[in-house]
Amino acid sequence: MIVTGGSRGIGAATARLGAQRGYAVCVNYRSDRPAAEKLAKEIGGIAVAADVSHEDDVIRLFNETERSLGRITALVNNAGVVDLRSRVEDMSVERLQRMFAVNVIGSFLCAREAVKRMSKRHGGQGGAIVNLSSAAARLGSPGDYVDYAASKGAIDTFTVGLAKEVAADGIRVNAVRPGVIHTGIHAQSGDPGRVARIAESAPLKRGGQPEEVARAILWLLSDEASYTTGSFIDVTGGR
Ligand code: NAP
């Protein structure tokens, strides 16, 4: 299994649970090498640095993982970024390019490399992909980060389209749409108190834990979900 952005947050929880369920796990990361290597050691996997928005990095990530761990059967497209709270009229082109490069193109590149290796059309034995979308794709995140929400809207459409395209090749593709989860991502938007501030507005009256998202991801990857493709699980506390 490859988990992109596995050094912390939802990705780290998914890598841990994946290892518990018997996967040999590659923990991909961009910058936090100590965290990724510590986790990989703890779960008996490997850590591979790669920026998912760089094509060469992604190809190397998949090649190194196959060399070390064998055939790739599961991909979790988890790496993602937000940016500072902003209205659309104040967004720079550099910000928009980074947002879409990491969240959208990064997911496409990783899925492309996974499909080439998993697809029965190319001599593979099938597999499963889970994309990390967000409740923001439905809500639009006005005043916070409409660009982020739109990048996750693209992930939803990507999930539906790719699922239909590769179903006959033995690959299932689904997505999880988390709500507000206790991770470090909110500090990136300059709003580290976000979870505490808006958690109460969820019907379940709290923010989610990364492990609660990881369980949905692992279910979608598993044979328990054998007839589920092109689907979404909202892990939002009811929001
Ligand atoms: P996080 O705690 O900020 O962790 C992000 C991870 O992605 C880190 O491991 C980071 O690695 C990695 N990363 C960032 N840019 C990368 C790149 N270009 N290439 C490779 N790795 C990269 O995030 P999170 O909250 O766990 O979120 C995980 C996913 O869930 C994201 O797609 C996010 O949009 C989605 N999500 C989160 C929430 C939430 O409330 N937390 C809600 C809805 C959806 P380094 O630290 O090494 O740079």
Side-chain angles (χ1 to χ4, degrees), residues 1 3 6 12 14-28 35-48 64-65 68-70:
M1 169 192 292
V3 182
T14 303
R16 260 195 203 95
L17 190 59
Q20 279 170 27
R21 302 266 170 96
Y23 287 97
V25 181
C26 169
V27 178
N28 157 252
E37 289 191 339
K38 183 163 177 274
L39 175 59
K41 195 168 171 205
E42 174 195 322
I43 65 176
I46 60 168
V48 178
E64 278 185 27
T65 303
S68 300
L69 303 180

Side-chain angles (χ1 to χ4, degrees), residues 5-11 28-32 50-52 78-81 102 132-134 148 152 178-181 183-186 188:
S7 56
R8 59 193 158 89
I10 293 167
N28 157 252
Y29 65 100
R30 184 193 49 188
S31 55
D32 195 348
D51 183 331
V52 295
N78 168 81
V81 291
V102 176
L132 266 291
S133 174
S134 170
Y148 171 81
K152 294 302 185 179
V180 185
I181 310 299
T183 74
I185 201 169
H186 308 289
Q188 280 179 34

Side-chain angles (χ1 to χ4, degrees), residues 60-81:
R60 181 176 45 73
L61 166 66
F62 277 76
N63 287 340
E64 278 185 27
T65 303
E66 277 206 331
R67 246 196 327 272
S68 300
L69 303 180
R71 194 167 55 83
I72 292 160
T73 59
L75 166 67
V76 183
N77 259 329
N78 168 81
V81 291

Side-chain angles (χ1 to χ4, degrees), residues 29-158:
Y29 65 100
R30 184 193 49 188
S31 55
D32 195 348
R33 182 174 175 175
E37 289 191 339
K38 183 163 177 274
L39 175 59
K41 195 168 171 205
E42 174 195 322
I43 65 176
I46 60 168
V48 178
D51 183 331
V52 295
S53 66
H54 293 173
E55 185 175 29
D56 292 351
D57 279 18
V58 171
I59 293 169
R60 181 176 45 73
L61 166 66
F62 277 76
N63 287 340
E64 278 185 27
T65 303
E66 277 206 331
R67 246 196 327 272
S68 300
L69 303 180
R71 194 167 55 83
I72 292 160
T73 59
L75 166 67
V76 183
N77 259 329
N78 168 81
V81 291
V82 292
D83 210 321
L84 295 176
R85 296 180 73 181
S86 173
R87 289 175 59 90
V88 170
E89 66 254 41
D90 297 323
M91 289 178 185
S92 68
V93 70
E94 291 78 16
R95 169 186 170 128
L96 295 171
Q97 280 167 340
R98 171 176 165 268
M99 187 71 70
F100 283 84
V102 176
N103 293 2
V104 183
I105 297 177
S107 297
F108 266 80
L109 290 174
C110 291
R112 183 188 78 185
E113 293 308 307
V115 167
K116 281 183 189 166
R117 291 162 174 81
M118 293 173 180
S119 173
K120 291 181 178 165
R121 178 190 296 261
H122 301 298
Q125 293 177 45
I129 297 172
V130 172
N131 296 323
L132 266 291
S133 174
S134 170
R138 276 189 286 111
L139 302 172
S141 305
D144 280 344
Y145 25 65
V146 172
D147 53 346
Y148 171 81
S151 76
K152 294 302 185 179
I155 291 299
D156 284 4
T157 307
F158 173 49

